[in-house]
Amino acid sequence: MDNSELLSAIFKLQKEATKVALAEVGLVSPVINKSQACEIYTRTQVEEWAAKGLLKATNKKKGRSSTIYYSREDLVKLSLGVAEHMNVSPSGAKGTRRNKLTKGPRGT
């Protein structure tokens, strides 16, 4: 990860941590939908946390479709690796788009 990617990741995380603080005082929703969570934390990471049972989803029905929501606070804690209930520390994303594009068809 180069410096610009690192700074971008830190900025996104800081923004979300600020929203958690605002949610605590009722100025921002305490939940975030799945697509927004995947945009901020990467789809791979969000799905890994959910598969390990570290991230619990809630559904809110809207007509025929349902939207999955996650707690902003849980996402921030998991991304920092400081959730009290965690027995397994979350790992970073296993691959990046750059890695996938530079490898051959069989990962070589």
Short mmCIF file of all heavy atoms in Angstrom, two decimals, residues 22-59:
data_model
loop_
_atom_site.label_atom_id
_atom_site.label_comp_id
_atom_site.label_asym_id
_atom_site.label_seq_id
_atom_site.Cartn_x
_atom_site.Cartn_y
_atom_site.Cartn_z
N LEU A 22 -21.29 11.15 16.19
CA LEU A 22 -22.52 11.89 15.91
C LEU A 22 -23.75 11.01 16.12
O LEU A 22 -24.79 11.50 16.57
CB LEU A 22 -22.49 12.44 14.48
CG LEU A 22 -21.48 13.55 14.20
CD1 LEU A 22 -21.41 13.85 12.71
CD2 LEU A 22 -21.82 14.79 15.00
N ALA A 23 -23.64 9.73 15.84
CA ALA A 23 -24.76 8.81 16.05
C ALA A 23 -25.06 8.66 17.54
O ALA A 23 -26.22 8.52 17.94
CB ALA A 23 -24.45 7.44 15.44
N GLU A 24 -24.01 8.73 18.37
CA GLU A 24 -24.20 8.61 19.81
C GLU A 24 -25.03 9.76 20.37
O GLU A 24 -25.74 9.59 21.36
CB GLU A 24 -22.86 8.52 20.52
CG GLU A 24 -22.17 7.19 20.31
CD GLU A 24 -20.80 7.11 20.97
OE1 GLU A 24 -20.34 8.11 21.56
OE2 GLU A 24 -20.19 6.05 20.86
N VAL A 25 -24.96 10.91 19.76
CA VAL A 25 -25.77 12.05 20.22
C VAL A 25 -27.04 12.23 19.39
O VAL A 25 -27.76 13.20 19.56
CB VAL A 25 -24.94 13.36 20.26
CG1 VAL A 25 -23.84 13.27 21.29
CG2 VAL A 25 -24.41 13.74 18.90
N GLY A 26 -27.28 11.30 18.46
CA GLY A 26 -28.53 11.31 17.70
C GLY A 26 -28.54 12.18 16.47
O GLY A 26 -29.61 12.45 15.94
N LEU A 27 -27.41 12.64 16.00
CA LEU A 27 -27.39 13.51 14.82
C LEU A 27 -27.23 12.75 13.50
O LEU A 27 -27.51 13.29 12.44
CB LEU A 27 -26.26 14.53 14.96
CG LEU A 27 -26.41 15.50 16.13
CD1 LEU A 27 -25.18 16.38 16.25
CD2 LEU A 27 -27.67 16.34 15.98
N VAL A 28 -26.78 11.50 13.57
CA VAL A 28 -26.58 10.67 12.39
C VAL A 28 -27.11 9.28 12.71
O VAL A 28 -27.09 8.85 13.86
CB VAL A 28 -25.07 10.59 12.03
CG1 VAL A 28 -24.82 9.63 10.89
CG2 VAL A 28 -24.54 11.96 11.68
N SER A 29 -27.57 8.58 11.72
CA SER A 29 -28.07 7.22 11.92
C SER A 29 -26.95 6.32 12.44
O SER A 29 -25.83 6.37 11.94
CB SER A 29 -28.60 6.66 10.60
OG SER A 29 -28.91 5.30 10.74
N PRO A 30 -27.23 5.48 13.42
CA PRO A 30 -26.20 4.59 13.97
C PRO A 30 -25.92 3.37 13.10
O PRO A 30 -25.04 2.57 13.40
CB PRO A 30 -26.78 4.16 15.32
CG PRO A 30 -28.25 4.27 15.15
CD PRO A 30 -28.47 5.41 14.18
N VAL A 31 -26.67 3.23 11.99
CA VAL A 31 -26.46 2.09 11.09
C VAL A 31 -26.06 2.57 9.70
O VAL A 31 -26.29 3.72 9.33
CB VAL A 31 -27.72 1.20 11.00
CG1 VAL A 31 -28.01 0.52 12.32
CG2 VAL A 31 -28.92 1.99 10.52
N ILE A 32 -25.48 1.66 8.95
CA ILE A 32 -25.03 1.94 7.58
C ILE A 32 -25.44 0.75 6.73
O ILE A 32 -25.38 -0.39 7.19
CB ILE A 32 -23.51 2.19 7.56
CG1 ILE A 32 -23.00 2.57 6.17
CG2 ILE A 32 -22.75 1.00 8.08
CD1 ILE A 32 -21.53 2.98 6.16
N ASN A 33 -25.88 0.98 5.49
CA ASN A 33 -26.30 -0.15 4.67
C ASN A 33 -25.08 -0.92 4.14
O ASN A 33 -23.96 -0.43 4.16
CB ASN A 33 -27.28 0.26 3.57
CG ASN A 33 -26.66 1.06 2.46
OD1 ASN A 33 -25.53 0.83 2.05
ND2 ASN A 33 -27.40 2.01 1.94
N LYS A 34 -25.34 -2.13 3.69
CA LYS A 34 -24.26 -3.03 3.29
C LYS A 34 -23.42 -2.46 2.15
O LYS A 34 -22.19 -2.56 2.17
CB LYS A 34 -24.81 -4.40 2.90
CG LYS A 34 -23.73 -5.39 2.57
CD LYS A 34 -24.27 -6.77 2.28
CE LYS A 34 -23.13 -7.72 1.96
NZ LYS A 34 -23.64 -9.07 1.68
N SER A 35 -24.03 -1.85 1.16
CA SER A 35 -23.26 -1.34 0.03
C SER A 35 -22.32 -0.21 0.45
O SER A 35 -21.19 -0.12 -0.02
CB SER A 35 -24.17 -0.90 -1.12
OG SER A 35 -24.96 0.20 -0.73
N GLN A 36 -22.79 0.64 1.37
CA GLN A 36 -21.91 1.71 1.88
C GLN A 36 -20.77 1.12 2.70
O GLN A 36 -19.63 1.57 2.60
CB GLN A 36 -22.71 2.69 2.73
CG GLN A 36 -23.69 3.52 1.94
CD GLN A 36 -24.62 4.32 2.84
OE1 GLN A 36 -25.02 3.87 3.91
NE2 GLN A 36 -24.97 5.52 2.40
N ALA A 37 -21.08 0.11 3.51
CA ALA A 37 -20.04 -0.55 4.31
C ALA A 37 -18.98 -1.17 3.41
O ALA A 37 -17.78 -1.06 3.68
CB ALA A 37 -20.66 -1.60 5.22
N CYS A 38 -19.42 -1.81 2.34
CA CYS A 38 -18.48 -2.45 1.42
C CYS A 38 -17.63 -1.42 0.68
O CYS A 38 -16.47 -1.67 0.37
CB CYS A 38 -19.23 -3.33 0.42
SG CYS A 38 -19.96 -4.79 1.19
N GLU A 39 -18.20 -0.27 0.40
CA GLU A 39 -17.45 0.80 -0.27
C GLU A 39 -16.34 1.34 0.64
O GLU A 39 -15.24 1.62 0.19
CB GLU A 39 -18.41 1.92 -0.64
CG GLU A 39 -17.76 3.06 -1.41
CD GLU A 39 -18.78 4.12 -1.76
OE1 GLU A 39 -19.90 3.79 -2.19
OE2 GLU A 39 -18.43 5.32 -1.60
N ILE A 40 -16.64 1.44 1.93
CA ILE A 40 -15.67 1.99 2.88
C ILE A 40 -14.63 0.96 3.31
O ILE A 40 -13.44 1.23 3.33
CB ILE A 40 -16.39 2.56 4.11
CG1 ILE A 40 -17.26 3.74 3.69
CG2 ILE A 40 -15.40 2.98 5.19
CD1 ILE A 40 -18.27 4.17 4.74
N TYR A 41 -15.09 -0.25 3.64
CA TYR A 41 -14.20 -1.25 4.24
C TYR A 41 -13.81 -2.39 3.30
O TYR A 41 -13.10 -3.28 3.71
CB TYR A 41 -14.87 -1.85 5.49
CG TYR A 41 -15.18 -0.81 6.52
CD1 TYR A 41 -16.46 -0.30 6.68
CD2 TYR A 41 -14.18 -0.30 7.34
CE1 TYR A 41 -16.73 0.67 7.63
CE2 TYR A 41 -14.44 0.67 8.28
CZ TYR A 41 -15.72 1.15 8.42
OH TYR A 41 -15.99 2.11 9.35
N THR A 42 -14.25 -2.41 2.10
CA THR A 42 -14.10 -3.43 1.05
C THR A 42 -15.06 -4.58 1.28
O THR A 42 -15.29 -5.00 2.42
CB THR A 42 -12.67 -4.01 0.87
OG1 THR A 42 -12.35 -4.88 1.95
CG2 THR A 42 -11.64 -2.91 0.71
N ARG A 43 -15.64 -5.06 0.21
CA ARG A 43 -16.61 -6.15 0.26
C ARG A 43 -16.00 -7.40 0.88
O ARG A 43 -16.61 -8.06 1.72
CB ARG A 43 -17.14 -6.47 -1.15
CG ARG A 43 -18.19 -7.56 -1.16
CD ARG A 43 -18.90 -7.66 -2.49
NE ARG A 43 -19.56 -6.43 -2.88
CZ ARG A 43 -20.76 -6.02 -2.43
NH1 ARG A 43 -21.39 -6.74 -1.55
NH2 ARG A 43 -21.29 -4.90 -2.85
N THR A 44 -14.75 -7.70 0.53
CA THR A 44 -14.07 -8.88 1.07
C THR A 44 -14.02 -8.83 2.58
O THR A 44 -14.33 -9.81 3.26
CB THR A 44 -12.63 -8.97 0.51
OG1 THR A 44 -12.69 -8.98 -0.91
CG2 THR A 44 -11.93 -10.20 1.01
N GLN A 45 -13.65 -7.69 3.13
CA GLN A 45 -13.50 -7.55 4.58
C GLN A 45 -14.85 -7.64 5.29
O GLN A 45 -14.97 -8.34 6.29
CB GLN A 45 -12.82 -6.22 4.92
CG GLN A 45 -12.39 -6.12 6.36
CD GLN A 45 -11.33 -7.13 6.72
OE1 GLN A 45 -10.21 -7.04 6.27
NE2 GLN A 45 -11.70 -8.11 7.51
N VAL A 46 -15.86 -6.97 4.76
CA VAL A 46 -17.19 -6.99 5.38
C VAL A 46 -17.75 -8.40 5.39
O VAL A 46 -18.26 -8.88 6.41
CB VAL A 46 -18.15 -6.01 4.66
CG1 VAL A 46 -19.59 -6.19 5.14
CG2 VAL A 46 -17.70 -4.57 4.86
N GLU A 47 -17.62 -9.11 4.27
CA GLU A 47 -18.13 -10.47 4.20
C GLU A 47 -17.35 -11.42 5.10
O GLU A 47 -17.91 -12.35 5.67
CB GLU A 47 -18.14 -10.95 2.75
CG GLU A 47 -19.21 -10.23 1.94
CD GLU A 47 -19.20 -10.58 0.47
OE1 GLU A 47 -18.29 -11.32 0.01
OE2 GLU A 47 -20.11 -10.11 -0.25
N GLU A 48 -16.04 -11.19 5.25
CA GLU A 48 -15.23 -12.01 6.15
C GLU A 48 -15.67 -11.82 7.60
O GLU A 48 -15.82 -12.79 8.34
CB GLU A 48 -13.75 -11.65 5.99
CG GLU A 48 -12.82 -12.48 6.84
CD GLU A 48 -11.37 -12.09 6.66
OE1 GLU A 48 -10.98 -11.70 5.54
OE2 GLU A 48 -10.62 -12.17 7.65
N TRP A 49 -15.87 -10.56 8.02
CA TRP A 49 -16.32 -10.30 9.38
C TRP A 49 -17.68 -10.94 9.64
O TRP A 49 -17.91 -11.51 10.70
CB TRP A 49 -16.41 -8.80 9.64
CG TRP A 49 -15.08 -8.11 9.73
CD1 TRP A 49 -13.89 -8.65 10.12
CD2 TRP A 49 -14.81 -6.74 9.43
NE1 TRP A 49 -12.90 -7.68 10.08
CE2 TRP A 49 -13.43 -6.51 9.66
CE3 TRP A 49 -15.59 -5.68 8.98
CZ2 TRP A 49 -12.83 -5.28 9.47
CZ3 TRP A 49 -14.99 -4.46 8.79
CH2 TRP A 49 -13.63 -4.25 9.03
N ALA A 50 -18.58 -10.84 8.66
CA ALA A 50 -19.91 -11.43 8.81
C ALA A 50 -19.82 -12.96 8.88
O ALA A 50 -20.50 -13.58 9.71
CB ALA A 50 -20.81 -10.99 7.66
N ALA A 51 -18.98 -13.56 8.05
CA ALA A 51 -18.83 -15.02 8.04
C ALA A 51 -18.26 -15.53 9.37
O ALA A 51 -18.62 -16.61 9.84
CB ALA A 51 -17.93 -15.45 6.89
N LYS A 52 -17.38 -14.76 9.99
CA LYS A 52 -16.79 -15.14 11.28
C LYS A 52 -17.72 -14.86 12.45
O LYS A 52 -17.40 -15.20 13.59
CB LYS A 52 -15.47 -14.39 11.51
CG LYS A 52 -14.34 -14.87 10.62
CD LYS A 52 -13.08 -14.09 10.92
CE LYS A 52 -11.93 -14.57 10.07
NZ LYS A 52 -10.71 -13.80 10.34
N GLY A 53 -18.85 -14.21 12.17
CA GLY A 53 -19.80 -13.89 13.23
C GLY A 53 -19.42 -12.65 14.04
O GLY A 53 -19.99 -12.40 15.09
N LEU A 54 -18.46 -11.89 13.54
CA LEU A 54 -18.03 -10.68 14.24
C LEU A 54 -18.92 -9.49 13.94
O LEU A 54 -18.93 -8.51 14.68
CB LEU A 54 -16.58 -10.35 13.86
CG LEU A 54 -15.55 -11.42 14.18
CD1 LEU A 54 -14.20 -11.05 13.59
CD2 LEU A 54 -15.45 -11.63 15.68
N LEU A 55 -19.66 -9.57 12.83
CA LEU A 55 -20.50 -8.46 12.39
C LEU A 55 -21.92 -8.98 12.20
O LEU A 55 -22.15 -9.90 11.42
CB LEU A 55 -19.95 -7.89 11.08
CG LEU A 55 -20.62 -6.67 10.50
CD1 LEU A 55 -20.52 -5.49 11.47
CD2 LEU A 55 -19.99 -6.30 9.17
N LYS A 56 -22.86 -8.43 12.93
CA LYS A 56 -24.26 -8.85 12.86
C LYS A 56 -25.05 -7.89 11.99
O LYS A 56 -24.95 -6.67 12.14
CB LYS A 56 -24.89 -8.89 14.25
CG LYS A 56 -24.14 -9.75 15.24
CD LYS A 56 -24.28 -11.21 14.91
CE LYS A 56 -23.59 -12.03 15.99
NZ LYS A 56 -23.08 -13.26 15.50
N ALA A 57 -25.84 -8.43 11.08
CA ALA A 57 -26.65 -7.63 10.17
C ALA A 57 -28.08 -7.52 10.69
O ALA A 57 -28.56 -8.40 11.39
CB ALA A 57 -26.66 -8.27 8.78
N THR A 58 -28.73 -6.43 10.32
CA THR A 58 -30.15 -6.27 10.60
C THR A 58 -30.83 -5.93 9.28
O THR A 58 -30.25 -5.24 8.44
CB THR A 58 -30.42 -5.14 11.61
OG1 THR A 58 -29.91 -3.92 11.09
CG2 THR A 58 -29.79 -5.43 12.95
N ASN A 59 -32.02 -6.43 9.10
CA ASN A 59 -32.79 -6.15 7.88
C ASN A 59 -33.88 -5.16 8.18
O ASN A 59 -34.51 -5.23 9.22
CB ASN A 59 -33.42 -7.43 7.32
CG ASN A 59 -32.39 -8.40 6.80
OD1 ASN A 59 -31.29 -8.01 6.47
ND2 ASN A 59 -32.76 -9.66 6.72
#
